[in-house]
PDB file of all heavy atoms in Angstrom:
ATOM      1  N   PRO A   1      -4.301  16.077  12.682  1.00  0.00           N
ATOM      2  CA  PRO A   1      -5.024  15.712  13.910  1.00  0.00           C
ATOM      3  C   PRO A   1      -6.366  16.427  13.990  1.00  0.00           C
ATOM      4  O   PRO A   1      -6.451  17.655  13.837  1.00  0.00           O
ATOM      5  CB  PRO A   1      -4.078  16.179  15.017  1.00  0.00           C
ATOM      6  CG  PRO A   1      -2.724  16.147  14.401  1.00  0.00           C
ATOM      7  CD  PRO A   1      -2.925  16.532  12.973  1.00  0.00           C
ATOM      8  N   GLY A   2      -7.412  15.653  14.207  1.00  0.00           N
ATOM      9  CA  GLY A   2      -8.740  16.228  14.360  1.00  0.00           C
ATOM     10  C   GLY A   2      -9.414  16.682  13.077  1.00  0.00           C
ATOM     11  O   GLY A   2     -10.484  17.290  13.118  1.00  0.00           O
ATOM     12  N   LYS A   3      -8.796  16.393  11.938  1.00  0.00           N
ATOM     13  CA  LYS A   3      -9.353  16.831  10.661  1.00  0.00           C
ATOM     14  C   LYS A   3      -9.589  15.638   9.739  1.00  0.00           C
ATOM     15  O   LYS A   3      -9.072  14.557   9.960  1.00  0.00           O
ATOM     16  CB  LYS A   3      -8.417  17.834   9.993  1.00  0.00           C
ATOM     17  CG  LYS A   3      -8.265  19.135  10.751  1.00  0.00           C
ATOM     18  CD  LYS A   3      -7.478  20.151   9.940  1.00  0.00           C
ATOM     19  CE  LYS A   3      -7.386  21.483  10.672  1.00  0.00           C
ATOM     20  NZ  LYS A   3      -6.641  22.495   9.875  1.00  0.00           N
ATOM     21  N   GLN A   4     -10.386  15.886   8.708  1.00  0.00           N
ATOM     22  CA  GLN A   4     -10.643  14.839   7.728  1.00  0.00           C
ATOM     23  C   GLN A   4      -9.442  14.678   6.786  1.00  0.00           C
ATOM     24  O   GLN A   4      -8.663  15.608   6.578  1.00  0.00           O
ATOM     25  CB  GLN A   4     -11.897  15.169   6.922  1.00  0.00           C
ATOM     26  CG  GLN A   4     -13.186  15.059   7.706  1.00  0.00           C
ATOM     27  CD  GLN A   4     -14.420  15.176   6.828  1.00  0.00           C
ATOM     28  OE1 GLN A   4     -14.390  15.812   5.781  1.00  0.00           O
ATOM     29  NE2 GLN A   4     -15.502  14.552   7.244  1.00  0.00           N
ATOM     30  N   ARG A   5      -9.350  13.500   6.222  1.00  0.00           N
ATOM     31  CA  ARG A   5      -8.302  13.250   5.245  1.00  0.00           C
ATOM     32  C   ARG A   5      -8.569  14.087   3.999  1.00  0.00           C
ATOM     33  O   ARG A   5      -9.712  14.193   3.547  1.00  0.00           O
ATOM     34  CB  ARG A   5      -8.252  11.761   4.905  1.00  0.00           C
ATOM     35  CG  ARG A   5      -7.031  11.336   4.118  1.00  0.00           C
ATOM     36  CD  ARG A   5      -6.972   9.821   3.979  1.00  0.00           C
ATOM     37  NE  ARG A   5      -6.794   9.166   5.273  1.00  0.00           N
ATOM     38  CZ  ARG A   5      -6.554   7.871   5.406  1.00  0.00           C
ATOM     39  NH1 ARG A   5      -6.447   7.093   4.329  1.00  0.00           N
ATOM     40  NH2 ARG A   5      -6.424   7.343   6.606  1.00  0.00           N
ATOM     41  N   GLU A   6      -7.523  14.678   3.440  1.00  0.00           N
ATOM     42  CA  GLU A   6      -7.678  15.520   2.263  1.00  0.00           C
ATOM     43  C   GLU A   6      -6.635  15.156   1.207  1.00  0.00           C
ATOM     44  O   GLU A   6      -5.524  14.731   1.533  1.00  0.00           O
ATOM     45  CB  GLU A   6      -7.533  17.001   2.639  1.00  0.00           C
ATOM     46  CG  GLU A   6      -6.169  17.375   3.207  1.00  0.00           C
ATOM     47  CD  GLU A   6      -6.036  18.865   3.504  1.00  0.00           C
ATOM     48  OE1 GLU A   6      -6.978  19.628   3.241  1.00  0.00           O
ATOM     49  OE2 GLU A   6      -4.960  19.263   3.997  1.00  0.00           O
ATOM     50  N   GLN A   7      -7.032  15.346  -0.042  1.00  0.00           N
ATOM     51  CA  GLN A   7      -6.116  15.073  -1.136  1.00  0.00           C
ATOM     52  C   GLN A   7      -5.115  16.208  -1.252  1.00  0.00           C
ATOM     53  O   GLN A   7      -5.500  17.380  -1.250  1.00  0.00           O
ATOM     54  CB  GLN A   7      -6.878  14.897  -2.441  1.00  0.00           C
ATOM     55  CG  GLN A   7      -6.000  14.537  -3.635  1.00  0.00           C
ATOM     56  CD  GLN A   7      -6.804  14.313  -4.895  1.00  0.00           C
ATOM     57  OE1 GLN A   7      -7.840  13.648  -4.887  1.00  0.00           O
ATOM     58  NE2 GLN A   7      -6.350  14.867  -6.007  1.00  0.00           N
ATOM     59  N   VAL A   8      -3.857  15.862  -1.381  1.00  0.00           N
ATOM     60  CA  VAL A   8      -2.790  16.844  -1.481  1.00  0.00           C
ATOM     61  C   VAL A   8      -2.313  16.993  -2.921  1.00  0.00           C
ATOM     62  O   VAL A   8      -2.140  18.103  -3.417  1.00  0.00           O
ATOM     63  CB  VAL A   8      -1.609  16.446  -0.578  1.00  0.00           C
ATOM     64  CG1 VAL A   8      -0.422  17.379  -0.793  1.00  0.00           C
ATOM     65  CG2 VAL A   8      -2.027  16.425   0.884  1.00  0.00           C
ATOM     66  N   ALA A   9      -2.101  15.853  -3.575  1.00  0.00           N
ATOM     67  CA  ALA A   9      -1.550  15.895  -4.926  1.00  0.00           C
ATOM     68  C   ALA A   9      -1.952  14.643  -5.684  1.00  0.00           C
ATOM     69  O   ALA A   9      -2.206  13.596  -5.087  1.00  0.00           O
ATOM     70  CB  ALA A   9      -0.030  16.013  -4.886  1.00  0.00           C
ATOM     71  N   GLN A  10      -2.005  14.789  -7.000  1.00  0.00           N
ATOM     72  CA  GLN A  10      -2.349  13.689  -7.884  1.00  0.00           C
ATOM     73  C   GLN A  10      -1.383  13.696  -9.060  1.00  0.00           C
ATOM     74  O   GLN A  10      -1.018  14.766  -9.552  1.00  0.00           O
ATOM     75  CB  GLN A  10      -3.775  13.855  -8.408  1.00  0.00           C
ATOM     76  CG  GLN A  10      -4.179  12.833  -9.461  1.00  0.00           C
ATOM     77  CD  GLN A  10      -5.443  13.235 -10.221  1.00  0.00           C
ATOM     78  OE1 GLN A  10      -5.767  14.411 -10.347  1.00  0.00           O
ATOM     79  NE2 GLN A  10      -6.144  12.241 -10.731  1.00  0.00           N
ATOM     80  N   ILE A  11      -1.035  12.498  -9.531  1.00  0.00           N
ATOM     81  CA  ILE A  11      -0.318  12.377 -10.795  1.00  0.00           C
ATOM     82  C   ILE A  11      -0.970  11.257 -11.587  1.00  0.00           C
ATOM     83  O   ILE A  11      -1.131  10.140 -11.095  1.00  0.00           O
ATOM     84  CB  ILE A  11       1.202  12.147 -10.594  1.00  0.00           C
ATOM     85  CG1 ILE A  11       1.918  12.154 -11.944  1.00  0.00           C
ATOM     86  CG2 ILE A  11       1.493  10.890  -9.791  1.00  0.00           C
ATOM     87  CD1 ILE A  11       3.441  12.305 -11.816  1.00  0.00           C
ATOM     88  N   THR A  12      -1.380  11.577 -12.798  1.00  0.00           N
ATOM     89  CA  THR A  12      -2.116  10.607 -13.595  1.00  0.00           C
ATOM     90  C   THR A  12      -1.151   9.699 -14.362  1.00  0.00           C
ATOM     91  O   THR A  12       0.073   9.878 -14.336  1.00  0.00           O
ATOM     92  CB  THR A  12      -3.025  11.328 -14.592  1.00  0.00           C
ATOM     93  OG1 THR A  12      -2.212  11.960 -15.598  1.00  0.00           O
ATOM     94  CG2 THR A  12      -3.906  12.362 -13.897  1.00  0.00           C
ATOM     95  N   VAL A  13      -1.737   8.763 -15.083  1.00  0.00           N
ATOM     96  CA  VAL A  13      -0.927   7.845 -15.879  1.00  0.00           C
ATOM     97  C   VAL A  13      -0.222   8.577 -17.014  1.00  0.00           C
ATOM     98  O   VAL A  13       0.769   8.087 -17.547  1.00  0.00           O
ATOM     99  CB  VAL A  13      -1.770   6.673 -16.415  1.00  0.00           C
ATOM    100  CG1 VAL A  13      -2.309   5.837 -15.267  1.00  0.00           C
ATOM    101  CG2 VAL A  13      -2.909   7.168 -17.279  1.00  0.00           C
ATOM    102  N   THR A  14      -0.743   9.752 -17.375  1.00  0.00           N
ATOM    103  CA  THR A  14      -0.116  10.556 -18.426  1.00  0.00           C
ATOM    104  C   THR A  14       0.790  11.635 -17.849  1.00  0.00           C
ATOM    105  O   THR A  14       1.186  12.557 -18.558  1.00  0.00           O
ATOM    106  CB  THR A  14      -1.193  11.207 -19.309  1.00  0.00           C
ATOM    107  OG1 THR A  14      -2.051  12.003 -18.483  1.00  0.00           O
ATOM    108  CG2 THR A  14      -2.017  10.152 -20.029  1.00  0.00           C
ATOM    109  N   MET A  15       1.069  11.541 -16.559  1.00  0.00           N
ATOM    110  CA  MET A  15       1.988  12.465 -15.870  1.00  0.00           C
ATOM    111  C   MET A  15       1.385  13.846 -15.627  1.00  0.00           C
ATOM    112  O   MET A  15       2.113  14.776 -15.270  1.00  0.00           O
ATOM    113  CB  MET A  15       3.317  12.607 -16.619  1.00  0.00           C
ATOM    114  CG  MET A  15       4.078  11.320 -16.774  1.00  0.00           C
ATOM    115  SD  MET A  15       4.594  10.662 -15.179  1.00  0.00           S
ATOM    116  CE  MET A  15       5.651   9.317 -15.693  1.00  0.00           C
ATOM    117  N   THR A  16       0.079  13.990 -15.788  1.00  0.00           N
ATOM    118  CA  THR A  16      -0.573  15.248 -15.432  1.00  0.00           C
ATOM    119  C   THR A  16      -0.648  15.345 -13.915  1.00  0.00           C
ATOM    120  O   THR A  16      -0.982  14.366 -13.248  1.00  0.00           O
ATOM    121  CB  THR A  16      -1.973  15.316 -16.025  1.00  0.00           C
ATOM    122  OG1 THR A  16      -1.891  15.200 -17.448  1.00  0.00           O
ATOM    123  CG2 THR A  16      -2.653  16.626 -15.662  1.00  0.00           C
ATOM    124  N   THR A  17      -0.344  16.526 -13.392  1.00  0.00           N
ATOM    125  CA  THR A  17      -0.350  16.702 -11.942  1.00  0.00           C
ATOM    126  C   THR A  17      -1.399  17.727 -11.507  1.00  0.00           C
ATOM    127  O   THR A  17      -1.743  18.649 -12.253  1.00  0.00           O
ATOM    128  CB  THR A  17       1.028  17.159 -11.440  1.00  0.00           C
ATOM    129  OG1 THR A  17       1.397  18.389 -12.090  1.00  0.00           O
ATOM    130  CG2 THR A  17       2.089  16.106 -11.721  1.00  0.00           C
ATOM    131  N   HIS A  18      -1.917  17.520 -10.308  1.00  0.00           N
ATOM    132  CA  HIS A  18      -2.857  18.452  -9.697  1.00  0.00           C
ATOM    133  C   HIS A  18      -2.488  18.590  -8.224  1.00  0.00           C
ATOM    134  O   HIS A  18      -2.032  17.618  -7.607  1.00  0.00           O
ATOM    135  CB  HIS A  18      -4.296  17.938  -9.814  1.00  0.00           C
ATOM    136  CG  HIS A  18      -4.742  17.727 -11.218  1.00  0.00           C
ATOM    137  ND1 HIS A  18      -5.205  18.741 -12.021  1.00  0.00           N
ATOM    138  CD2 HIS A  18      -4.779  16.597 -11.979  1.00  0.00           C
ATOM    139  CE1 HIS A  18      -5.524  18.253 -13.204  1.00  0.00           C
ATOM    140  NE2 HIS A  18      -5.265  16.958 -13.211  1.00  0.00           N
ATOM    141  N   TYR A  19      -2.722  19.785  -7.685  1.00  0.00           N
ATOM    142  CA  TYR A  19      -2.362  20.048  -6.297  1.00  0.00           C
ATOM    143  C   TYR A  19      -3.482  20.770  -5.570  1.00  0.00           C
ATOM    144  O   TYR A  19      -4.215  21.565  -6.154  1.00  0.00           O
ATOM    145  CB  TYR A  19      -1.104  20.915  -6.230  1.00  0.00           C
ATOM    146  CG  TYR A  19       0.113  20.263  -6.843  1.00  0.00           C
ATOM    147  CD1 TYR A  19       0.456  20.500  -8.172  1.00  0.00           C
ATOM    148  CD2 TYR A  19       0.903  19.393  -6.098  1.00  0.00           C
ATOM    149  CE1 TYR A  19       1.558  19.883  -8.739  1.00  0.00           C
ATOM    150  CE2 TYR A  19       2.017  18.778  -6.659  1.00  0.00           C
ATOM    151  CZ  TYR A  19       2.336  19.019  -7.975  1.00  0.00           C
ATOM    152  OH  TYR A  19       3.423  18.414  -8.533  1.00  0.00           O
ATOM    153  N   ALA A  20      -3.565  20.504  -4.288  1.00  0.00           N
ATOM    154  CA  ALA A  20      -4.436  21.297  -3.444  1.00  0.00           C
ATOM    155  C   ALA A  20      -3.889  22.727  -3.381  1.00  0.00           C
ATOM    156  O   ALA A  20      -2.671  22.938  -3.427  1.00  0.00           O
ATOM    157  CB  ALA A  20      -4.501  20.696  -2.044  1.00  0.00           C
ATOM    158  N   ASP A  21      -4.787  23.687  -3.275  1.00  0.00           N
ATOM    159  CA  ASP A  21      -4.354  25.089  -3.265  1.00  0.00           C
ATOM    160  C   ASP A  21      -3.329  25.359  -2.165  1.00  0.00           C
ATOM    161  O   ASP A  21      -2.410  26.159  -2.350  1.00  0.00           O
ATOM    162  CB  ASP A  21      -5.565  26.001  -3.068  1.00  0.00           C
ATOM    163  CG  ASP A  21      -6.444  26.061  -4.299  1.00  0.00           C
ATOM    164  OD1 ASP A  21      -5.973  25.700  -5.399  1.00  0.00           O
ATOM    165  OD2 ASP A  21      -7.617  26.475  -4.162  1.00  0.00           O
ATOM    166  N   GLU A  22      -3.495  24.660  -1.044  1.00  0.00           N
ATOM    167  CA  GLU A  22      -2.636  24.929   0.115  1.00  0.00           C
ATOM    168  C   GLU A  22      -1.173  24.561  -0.123  1.00  0.00           C
ATOM    169  O   GLU A  22      -0.284  25.040   0.591  1.00  0.00           O
ATOM    170  CB  GLU A  22      -3.143  24.161   1.341  1.00  0.00           C
ATOM    171  CG  GLU A  22      -4.498  24.578   1.856  1.00  0.00           C
ATOM    172  CD  GLU A  22      -5.651  23.925   1.105  1.00  0.00           C
ATOM    173  OE1 GLU A  22      -5.408  23.232   0.086  1.00  0.00           O
ATOM    174  OE2 GLU A  22      -6.797  24.104   1.565  1.00  0.00           O
ATOM    175  N   VAL A  23      -0.912  23.707  -1.118  1.00  0.00           N
ATOM    176  CA  VAL A  23       0.462  23.235  -1.326  1.00  0.00           C
ATOM    177  C   VAL A  23       1.030  23.641  -2.676  1.00  0.00           C
ATOM    178  O   VAL A  23       2.204  23.347  -2.957  1.00  0.00           O
ATOM    179  CB  VAL A  23       0.560  21.705  -1.143  1.00  0.00           C
ATOM    180  CG1 VAL A  23      -0.034  21.286   0.204  1.00  0.00           C
ATOM    181  CG2 VAL A  23      -0.130  20.967  -2.285  1.00  0.00           C
ATOM    182  N   LYS A  24       0.233  24.288  -3.499  1.00  0.00           N
ATOM    183  CA  LYS A  24       0.716  24.704  -4.818  1.00  0.00           C
ATOM    184  C   LYS A  24       1.964  25.568  -4.689  1.00  0.00           C
ATOM    185  O   LYS A  24       2.023  26.476  -3.880  1.00  0.00           O
ATOM    186  CB  LYS A  24      -0.373  25.462  -5.567  1.00  0.00           C
ATOM    187  CG  LYS A  24      -1.412  24.573  -6.204  1.00  0.00           C
ATOM    188  CD  LYS A  24      -2.450  25.406  -6.957  1.00  0.00           C
ATOM    189  CE  LYS A  24      -3.519  24.530  -7.563  1.00  0.00           C
ATOM    190  NZ  LYS A  24      -4.584  25.315  -8.217  1.00  0.00           N
ATOM    191  N   GLY A  25       2.949  25.254  -5.508  1.00  0.00           N
ATOM    192  CA  GLY A  25       4.190  26.013  -5.486  1.00  0.00           C
ATOM    193  C   GLY A  25       5.189  25.546  -4.443  1.00  0.00           C
ATOM    194  O   GLY A  25       6.347  25.975  -4.456  1.00  0.00           O
ATOM    195  N   ARG A  26       4.748  24.670  -3.543  1.00  0.00           N
ATOM    196  CA  ARG A  26       5.655  24.178  -2.486  1.00  0.00           C
ATOM    197  C   ARG A  26       5.893  22.676  -2.592  1.00  0.00           C
ATOM    198  O   ARG A  26       6.981  22.202  -2.240  1.00  0.00           O
ATOM    199  CB  ARG A  26       5.071  24.492  -1.098  1.00  0.00           C
ATOM    200  CG  ARG A  26       4.865  25.965  -0.840  1.00  0.00           C
ATOM    201  CD  ARG A  26       4.483  26.229   0.632  1.00  0.00           C
ATOM    202  NE  ARG A  26       3.230  25.597   1.019  1.00  0.00           N
ATOM    203  CZ  ARG A  26       3.103  24.687   1.983  1.00  0.00           C
ATOM    204  NH1 ARG A  26       4.165  24.290   2.652  1.00  0.00           N
ATOM    205  NH2 ARG A  26       1.914  24.183   2.280  1.00  0.00           N
ATOM    206  N   PHE A  27       4.889  21.942  -3.030  1.00  0.00           N
ATOM    207  CA  PHE A  27       4.980  20.485  -3.141  1.00  0.00           C
ATOM    208  C   PHE A  27       5.049  20.084  -4.614  1.00  0.00           C
ATOM    209  O   PHE A  27       4.464  20.759  -5.478  1.00  0.00           O
ATOM    210  CB  PHE A  27       3.764  19.818  -2.514  1.00  0.00           C
ATOM    211  CG  PHE A  27       3.678  19.899  -1.015  1.00  0.00           C
ATOM    212  CD1 PHE A  27       4.520  20.731  -0.276  1.00  0.00           C
ATOM    213  CD2 PHE A  27       2.745  19.130  -0.329  1.00  0.00           C
ATOM    214  CE1 PHE A  27       4.421  20.803   1.101  1.00  0.00           C
ATOM    215  CE2 PHE A  27       2.647  19.183   1.051  1.00  0.00           C
ATOM    216  CZ  PHE A  27       3.476  20.028   1.766  1.00  0.00           C
ATOM    217  N   ALA A  28       5.716  18.977  -4.862  1.00  0.00           N
ATOM    218  CA  ALA A  28       5.790  18.448  -6.223  1.00  0.00           C
ATOM    219  C   ALA A  28       5.665  16.934  -6.183  1.00  0.00           C
ATOM    220  O   ALA A  28       6.431  16.266  -5.478  1.00  0.00           O
ATOM    221  CB  ALA A  28       7.088  18.862  -6.888  1.00  0.00           C
TER     222      ALA A  28
END
């Protein structure tokens, strides 16, 4: 609420994953 949309996580076609710092270690 009241904030811009932000990327949380990505998974590529090769199964490479990336995470926002705020969720690293907690989200998969």
Side-chain angles (χ1 to χ4, degrees):
K3 295 188 177 181
Q4 290 189 332
R5 192 173 295 188
E6 62 177 358
Q7 183 177 315
V8 174
Q10 174 195 26
I11 185 165
T12 70
V13 297
T14 57
M15 300 296 188
T16 301
T17 58
H18 301 278
Y19 298 94
D21 288 342
E22 295 83 353
V23 307
K24 280 181 182 176
R26 300 189 298 120
F27 290 11

